[in-house]
């Protein structure tokens, strides 16, 4: 447990590799909608640059992620896999394979706290395409959905980059795909010749380089409304940040709030989810997945896992009417 000051600043202990640019130029901004949320980028470049071409390139990256990994687009590759016959194998393109194998690696390291196969439970509880619900599902419905989930049911063939459909299993990349999309936009901007940039998709961010004034990209870590904690800001120099928490989505029934974070152990939303979990990592895809995993675990176990994996993590919990902030060793090391 950490007692935080009025305002705290997080600085990477080691700066990411970066070719310095002259402290000049213009900060351009672009924005749009994708993946059920908004996205924005800010990047440093000449006063005159082809913003339409940059926007088109970024949109193409986002469209690729949606086409392959959307749980909401019926003709996406993910939805096609979810509907495929039991015992069938499906060859995967490189982006889908990268996200799936990364998700399974985090699932293994977190003992299933992160699980990209909970699509059936997500839909059952009203957090997927079938739409919201106001009444919790029955015990029988939960048991049936749980039986079709489980990351250990997946079988992969690395030689052919294929995945087996064991029968009724539904992938859901909502805890990792948005972070992956952030990474793709960052790589795209660098490829176009704009190495200094800040990417934001629905609150998941990645920053690289510095602004024309010599400052890094400063961002505030998310905290739920109503908490008395001071603001924490981080310098995203070669870093990403993702936040998960119980305040984002859910519904209330008979005075009980059902948050959108589910666990296969019970097949239900967490009874006592953290208010917010933020993870800083060079890859936003992994920051996204680890933030989800740490949210599922009790705060003490989550903090121990973050320390084992050397993750920079902040865990905000509600305890007896007050809000408490826990920080991993790696995040504490970022304090000046």
């Amino acid at each position: 447990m950490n007692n935080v000051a009025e305002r705290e600043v997080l600085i990477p202990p080691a700066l990411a590799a970066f070719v310095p640019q002259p402290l000049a130029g213009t900060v351009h901004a672009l924005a749009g909608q994708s993946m059920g949320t908004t996205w924005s980028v800010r990047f440093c470049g000449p006063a005159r640059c082809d913003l339409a071409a940059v926007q088109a390139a970024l949109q193409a990256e986002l469209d690729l992620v949606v086409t392959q990994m959307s749980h909401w687009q019926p003709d996406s590759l993910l939805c096609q896999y979810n509907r495929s016959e039991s015992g069938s194998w499906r060859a995967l393109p490189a982006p889908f394979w990268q996200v799936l194998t990364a998700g399974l690696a985090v699932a293994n390291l977190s003992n299933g706290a992160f699980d990209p196969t909970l699509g059936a439970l997500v839909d059952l509880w009203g957090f997927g395409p079938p739409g919201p619900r106001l009444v919790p599902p029955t015990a029988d419905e939960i048991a049936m959905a749980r039986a079709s989930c489980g990351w250990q049911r997946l079988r992969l063939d690395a030689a052919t980059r294929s995945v087996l459909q064991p029968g009724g299993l539904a992938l859901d990349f909502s805890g990792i795909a948005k972070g992956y999309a952030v990474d793709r936009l960052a790589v795209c901007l660098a490829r176009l010749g704009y190495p200094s940039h800040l990417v934001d998709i629905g609150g998941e961010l990645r920053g690289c380089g510095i602004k024309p004034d010599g400052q890094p990209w400063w961002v505030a870590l998310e905290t739920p409304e109503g908490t008395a904690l001071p603001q924490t800001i981080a310098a995203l120099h070669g870093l990403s940040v993702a936040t998960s928490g119980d305040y984002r989505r859910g519904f209330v029934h008979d005075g009980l709030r059902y948050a959108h974070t589910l666990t296969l152990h019970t097949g239900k939303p967490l009874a006592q989810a953290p208010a917010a979990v933020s993870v800083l990592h060079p890859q936003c895809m992994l920051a996204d997945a680890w933030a989800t995993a740490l949210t599922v675990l009790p705060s003490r176990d989550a903090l121990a896992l973050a320390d084992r994996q050397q993750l920079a993590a902040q865990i905000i919990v509600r305890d007896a009417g007050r809000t408490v902030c826990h920080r991993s060793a790696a995040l504490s090391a970022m304090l000046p």
Side-chain angles (χ1 to χ4, degrees):
M1 183 188 307
N2 291 335
N3 294 319
V4 291
E6 292 184 1
R7 187 184 190 188
E8 294 194 317
V9 175
L10 303 176
I11 299 175
L15 296 181
F18 177 73
V19 178
Q21 302 292 314
L23 297 184
T26 301
V27 177
H28 300 282
L30 295 171
Q33 293 186 329
S34 184
M35 306 178 72
T37 188
T38 58
W39 65 267
S40 66
V41 300
R42 298 172 64 199
F43 64 94
C44 302
R48 291 189 177 184
C49 61
D50 192 343
L51 294 181
V54 176
Q55 178 111 13
L58 295 174
Q59 190 63 55
E61 296 293 335
L62 292 164
D63 291 346
L64 179 147
V65 176
V66 170
T67 298
Q68 293 191 19
M69 306 173 205
S70 174
H71 186 50
W72 297 81
Q73 186 166 302
D75 60 349
S76 72
L77 178 58
L78 182 144
C79 288
Q80 292 178 40
Y81 168 82
N82 290 350
R83 294 191 301 266
S84 58
E85 294 182 3
S86 175
S88 62
W89 286 84
R90 180 172 288 270
L92 302 176
F96 196 112
W97 179 263
Q98 181 182 357
V99 173
L100 178 60
T101 53
L104 291 178
V106 176
N108 181 50
L109 292 170
S110 67
N111 196 28
F114 177 83
D115 192 333
T117 72
L118 301 187
L121 281 170
V122 170
D123 289 350
L124 178 66
W125 279 93
F127 303 126
R133 63 185 303 155
L134 301 178
V135 178
T138 67
D140 287 344
E141 289 174 325
I142 294 172
M144 184 176 298
R146 285 184 65 208
S148 66
C149 300
W151 65 275
Q152 291 173 318
R153 298 184 64 212
L154 283 173
R155 295 292 180 269
L156 306 183
D157 184 343
T160 60
R161 209 163 61 198
S162 300
V163 58
L164 173 70
Q165 170 57 270
L169 185 142
L171 293 173
D172 182 349
F173 286 172
S174 58
I176 191 172
K178 191 165 61 172
Y180 175 72
V182 169
D183 291 333
R184 288 196 70 96
L185 294 194
V187 171
C188 178
L189 287 168
R191 185 174 64 243
L192 293 174
Y194 306 112
S196 295
H197 53 257
L198 178 69
V199 178
D200 179 357
I201 302 181
E204 320 288 42
L205 302 103
R206 174 168 164 168
C208 184
I210 56 176
K211 295 181 290 185
D213 62 1
Q215 287 290 316
W217 302 99
W218 293 103
V219 302
L221 270 60
E222 287 187 47
T223 55
E225 292 184 7
T227 59
L229 294 174
Q231 187 180 62
T232 300
I233 61 172
L236 293 191
H237 185 80
L239 278 180
S240 304
V241 61
T243 300
S244 180
D246 69 354
Y247 62 96
R248 291 196 166 186
R249 293 174 62 197
F251 66 92
V252 177
H253 176 70
D254 284 347
L256 295 177
R257 174 172 171 78
Y258 295 88
H260 76 284
T261 304
L262 300 163
T263 172
L264 183 59
H265 179 65
T266 62
K268 301 178 182 179
L270 298 178
Q272 293 180 318
V277 175
S278 296
V279 173
L280 291 99
H281 194 282
Q283 286 184 271
C284 197
M285 172 179 68
L286 293 179
D288 198 2
W290 278 115
T292 301
L294 298 183
T295 298
V296 170
L297 296 170
S299 58
R300 180 176 298 180
D301 296 340
L303 199 62
L305 176 60
D307 285 338
R308 287 198 303 272
Q309 297 300 321
Q310 299 182 333
L311 298 171
Q314 175 173 282
I315 303 170
I316 299 174
V317 298
R318 298 182 178 92
D319 183 14
R322 63 193 183 103
T323 307
V324 181
C325 179
H326 303 272
R327 288 173 172 161
S328 68
L331 190 135
S332 296
M334 296 176 65
L335 295 169

